[in-house]
Amino acid sequence: MEIEEFRQHGKEMVDYICDYLKNIKSLRVRPLVEPGYLKNLLPKEAPEEPEEWDAIMHDVKTKIMMGVTHWQHPRFHAYFPAGNSFPSILGDMLSDAIGCIGFSWDSSPACTELEMIVLDWFGRAIGLPDDFILSSKGSTGGGVLQSSASDCVLLTMLVARNEAINYLKTIKTKKPELEHSVFLSQLVGYCSKESHSCVEKAAKILLIKLRILEPDDNGSLRGETLKAHIEEDKAQGLLPFFVSAILGSTASCSFDNLTEMGVVCKEEKCCWLHVDAAYAGSAFICPELKYLLKGIEFADSFNVNPNKWLLVNFDCSCLWIRNKTKLTDALTVNPIYLQHAKEEEAIDYRHWGIPLSRRFRSLKLWFVFRKYGLSGLRSYIRNHIKLARYFEKLVKQDGRFEVVNDVRLGLVCFRLLACDKINVNLLEKINSTGKLLVTPAKVKNKFVIRFCVNSERATKADIDCAWEIIGNYAKLVATNLLSKKVCAGKLKKCKAQRAAFVRNVSREQLNKSVEDRNLTDLASPVLVSESDEEI
Ligand SMILES: *Cc1c(COP(=O)(O)O)cnc(C)c1O
């Protein structure tokens, strides 16, 4: 493609993107396709000859888009938000055009230096202790971008493992001649049942024993639970070397008791405390939410994903480390082909992570910080929290439902006051309509529906619309189940409850809740159709 052709198609692509996002609410949130749908539509072999741009875009519109789940849809309430905003998209576009591979300062100085600066900006805005801020006086730490929270957890566990093995070799056993692997079986790490599965995955990769501990009734891991397990393990001759605390859990947005856990970790010889705040961390830029970060002074490392809740596109996960030497000790290898003259004065981020190659990811973060300002970002977060509280109120006002989590940020976990099976059924029915997407979780051993406020421009009307859809389907599901006598074993027990929320609901009522269905020629022609509403 020549430059003038790119100029033209680039402008067309921006138009396409604008039209897509403008019309997104008329599309099904989740597509109606079966596994393997695309291989029936596309050739088996790559084309031998170059193709026309218009032909490629035609396939995007008619074949690709029909299999897309629209994460930016106003009725996408699944998972957590997938950060997205125009400044971020433009920042990434520029990053792609610059196309540098910033593994060292020398390989593209601005790539390294902007990353250092925006991580300090963000770290300060969150309220991390000065030790984590690269440019603060006497600081030993700093921040770095990674691809994901999973990478951050793996990386910190790896650094902690290195620390712990060095401790065992040189201090505890005084046998520095032994191989690292000899000590592996002595290490043990800890996290809560509420922690993200990436902690377990990291332990699996690093061949580490991990204790997954029971949180209290509020989903919060407590110091005494941690302490009891640590003592038990030490009695077995193990070394507690790593604890991953969670601030804002994925299932229910619960918070571990960081202060209590921190106190326990500090009593140990060599125990790293990591804090995973992948979703919730962005909210700490609001002064009224900084109380949720209490205990951060005990942490050795902290991660948050602006690609979740700070309007930055994937991938963009921020990791701060209190002691950067520990990080580089664990990771530095330095072949001559990567060395440069300014190594003493500059940061080489390749020593701060696993990959060598690094994109210019700080650009999109910088664009977002500048275009919204911290005040704009705070308003965005506050709007989501306000809407989550509003949704919580609607659920609580309806006697058929209960809210099962403490709604502090943008996530509400709720369920019908009935057995799990009815709730599973409700979730499936809601999602199969294509009008709304929500995801499940287990909270306090019960099946719950997670409803997260995700869309950048979410409004009260969006929440009303979502609630209307949920309420109507709740009625239908209950009616249906009663008539079919599903849930047979528990029928008696559930019957009274179910009878309470079964009311007649008309088709018209159901249909009323779906707005604008104008077909656009730009994207998936698969829209919410009347026939989808069969239950
Ligand atoms: C989403 C999430 C993760 C995983 O994030 P990735 O960036 O996809 O690896 C980890 N921890 C928490 C608390 C999360 O919410």
Side-chain angles (χ1 to χ4, degrees):
M1 192 181 277
E2 294 303 322
I3 196 154
E4 291 309 322
E5 203 185 344
F6 172 72
R7 194 191 300 278
Q8 182 198 329
H9 294 318
K11 288 175 180 173
E12 288 164 11
M13 186 62 92
V14 170
D15 279 340
Y16 178 73
I17 291 170
C18 291
D19 291 339
Y20 165 65
L21 291 172
K22 207 167 169 178
N23 295 309
I24 196 167
K25 64 174 186 245
S26 63
L27 306 174
R28 282 183 62 94
V29 187
R30 188 170 74 171
L32 262 185
V33 294
E34 293 298 325
Y37 94 94
L38 196 53
K39 81 172 187 307
N40 298 326
L41 299 176
L42 295 182
K44 279 203 169 53
E45 315 261 350
E48 189 60 36
E49 300 301 327
E51 297 193 71
E52 287 304 315
W53 183 255
D54 289 346
I56 306 171
M57 282 308 290
H58 177 77
D59 281 355
V60 168
K61 293 170 191 172
T62 56
K63 296 168 183 169
I64 304 296
M65 284 314 233
M66 71 184 283
V68 166
T69 299
H70 303 290
W71 283 62
Q72 305 307 326
H73 194 293
R75 226 70 66 223
F76 180 93
H77 294 288
Y79 311 105
F80 278 137
N84 184 298
S85 67
F86 296 123
S88 172
I89 294 171
L90 293 172
D92 238 3
M93 205 163 141
L94 180 59
S95 160
D96 284 344
I98 293 172
C100 65
I101 304 293
F103 46 75
S104 65
W105 179 85
D106 201 43
S107 73
S108 193
C111 179
T112 297
E113 296 203 9
L114 189 63
E115 187 163 329
M116 293 159 62
I117 290 166
V118 291
L119 272 123
D120 274 6
W121 280 8
F122 191 22
R124 285 203 171 98
I126 286 173
L128 293 180
D130 281 349
D131 278 354
F132 288 94
I133 309 296
L134 195 65
S135 62
S136 86
K137 206 159 171 274
S139 160
T140 49
V144 58
L145 288 173
Q146 305 288 343
S147 301
S148 69
S150 307
D151 287 288
C152 296
V153 169
L154 175 66
L155 198 58
T156 49
M157 198 187 279
L158 186 147
V159 176
R161 185 181 77 165
N162 189 60
E163 271 283 293
I165 290 178
N166 283 335
Y167 163 78
L168 287 173
K169 272 179 144 180
T170 57
I171 299 174
K172 184 98 184 288
T173 66
K174 298 201 168 48
K175 288 185 178 156
E177 70 282 5
L178 289 182
E179 288 208 13
H180 266 48
S181 57
V182 172
F183 299 97
L184 264 186
S185 60
Q186 295 179 42
L187 306 183
V188 56
Y190 307 85
C191 69
S192 160
K193 223 175 169 176
E194 279 279 325
S195 286
H196 192 271
S197 58
C198 69
V199 184
E200 207 178 335
K201 192 172 185 178
K204 212 168 168 170
I205 295 170
L206 295 173
L207 306 174
I208 292 301
K209 270 188 279 301
L210 182 73
R211 306 271 185 250
I212 301 176
L213 311 179
E214 201 64 48
D216 69 11
D217 289 345
N218 296 316
S220 176
L221 183 57
R222 306 297 300 268
E224 57 185 10
T225 310
L226 179 62
K227 179 84 183 159
H229 283 85
I230 283 182
E231 290 306 327
E232 210 173 278
D233 286 329
K234 285 202 296 189
Q236 306 286 319
L238 299 176
L239 178 73
F241 85 108
F242 181 83
V243 174
S244 188
I246 180 97
L247 296 184
S249 70
T250 315
S252 67
C253 204
S254 62
F255 290 75
D256 282 346
N257 193 315
L258 195 55
T259 304
E260 288 181 9
M261 290 167 73
V263 168
V264 172
C265 289
K266 290 310 135 195
E267 286 168 358
E268 298 309 311
K269 293 261 171 355
C270 187
C271 190
W272 187 287
L273 178 60
H274 177 70
V275 177
D276 177 10
Y279 164 69
S282 295
F284 304 155
I285 62 170
C286 300
E288 72 276 19
L289 296 170
K290 289 200 199 296
Y291 76 97
L292 293 168
L293 195 59
K294 206 165 145 257
I296 189 65
E297 64 276 13
F298 292 103
D300 295 291
S301 51
F302 175 88
N303 76 269
V304 51
N305 285 11
N307 68 40
K308 277 185 170 160
W309 207 14
L310 209 67
L311 298 169
V312 181
N313 289 70
F314 186 78
D315 57 334
C316 187
S317 190
C318 298
L319 172 68
W320 288 267
I321 298 255
R322 185 183 287 278
N323 188 333
K324 59 180 186 278
T325 318
K326 292 183 179 178
L327 180 73
T328 48
D329 278 355
L331 295 171
T332 303
V333 280
N334 212 8
I336 191 149
Y337 49 80
L338 297 174
Q339 292 173 10
H340 61 91
K342 311 278 185 195
E343 277 178 6
E344 296 303 314
E345 305 150 62
I347 279 189
D348 286 339
Y349 272 130
R350 73 174 180 281
H351 304 310
W352 292 52
I354 294 164
L356 170 67
S357 301
R358 314 184 79 251
R359 299 178 65 230
F360 201 163
R361 275 179 300 211
S362 55
L363 266 180
K364 57 187 168 189
L365 197 51
W366 186 64
F367 273 46
V368 166
F369 276 129
R370 295 196 56 187
K371 192 70 182 81
Y372 289 85
L374 288 171
S375 64
L377 295 171
R378 286 187 196 113
S379 311
Y380 157 77
I381 297 229
R382 284 171 183 149
N383 179 49
H384 278 193
I385 296 173
K386 195 180 73 196
L387 293 175
R389 296 242 169 88
Y390 175 62
F391 183 81
E392 177 192 24
K393 197 181 87 191
L394 293 175
V395 178
K396 283 185 167 167
Q397 278 170 357
D398 188 321
R400 300 170 298 173
F401 291 91
E402 65 172 336
V403 171
V404 292
N405 70 328
D406 188 359
V407 180
R408 283 181 280 206
L409 302 178
L411 179 70
V412 184
C413 296
F414 70 100
R415 61 197 301 279
L416 276 169
L417 284 161
C419 59
D420 281 359
K421 197 160 184 172
I422 291 185
N423 280 285
V424 171
N425 206 282
L426 173 63
L427 177 101
E428 282 169 2
K429 289 294 181 281
I430 292 169
N431 287 345
S432 69
T433 66
K435 296 172 190 168
L436 184 81
L437 200 69
V438 280
T439 39
K442 273 259 164 162
V443 177
K444 294 175 199 165
N445 257 339
K446 286 176 181 167
F447 180 95
V448 305
I449 298 177
R450 291 170 77 265
F451 179 96
C452 196
V453 182
N454 289 336
S455 173
E456 178 181 354
R457 293 174 187 82
T459 62
K460 194 163 162 285
D462 288 322
I463 303 300
D464 285 330
C465 177
W467 178 239
E468 198 181 337
I469 295 169
I470 293 167
N472 286 340
Y473 278 91
K475 288 172 201 170
L476 275 192
V477 163
T479 314
N480 191 43
L481 284 167
L482 262 192
S483 65
K484 280 193 184 164
K485 295 200 170 42
V486 188
C487 203
K490 294 181 181 165
L491 189 61
K492 237 183 189 157
K493 197 172 139 208
C494 292
K495 199 166 176 176
Q497 292 172 340
R498 269 182 278 145
F501 57 69
V502 173
R503 288 175 213 134
N504 288 331
V505 60
S506 68
R507 276 288 134 171
E508 290 73 43
Q509 251 179 305
L510 262 182
N511 294 343
K512 190 160 59 72
S513 51
V514 185
E515 352 145 87
D516 275 9
R517 300 183 194 181
N518 300 331
L519 197 119
T520 90
D521 64 340
L522 288 155
S524 162
V526 187
L527 299 176
V528 179
S529 76
E530 305 304 318
S531 62
D532 293 337
E533 279 151 15
E534 286 313 319
I535 287 210

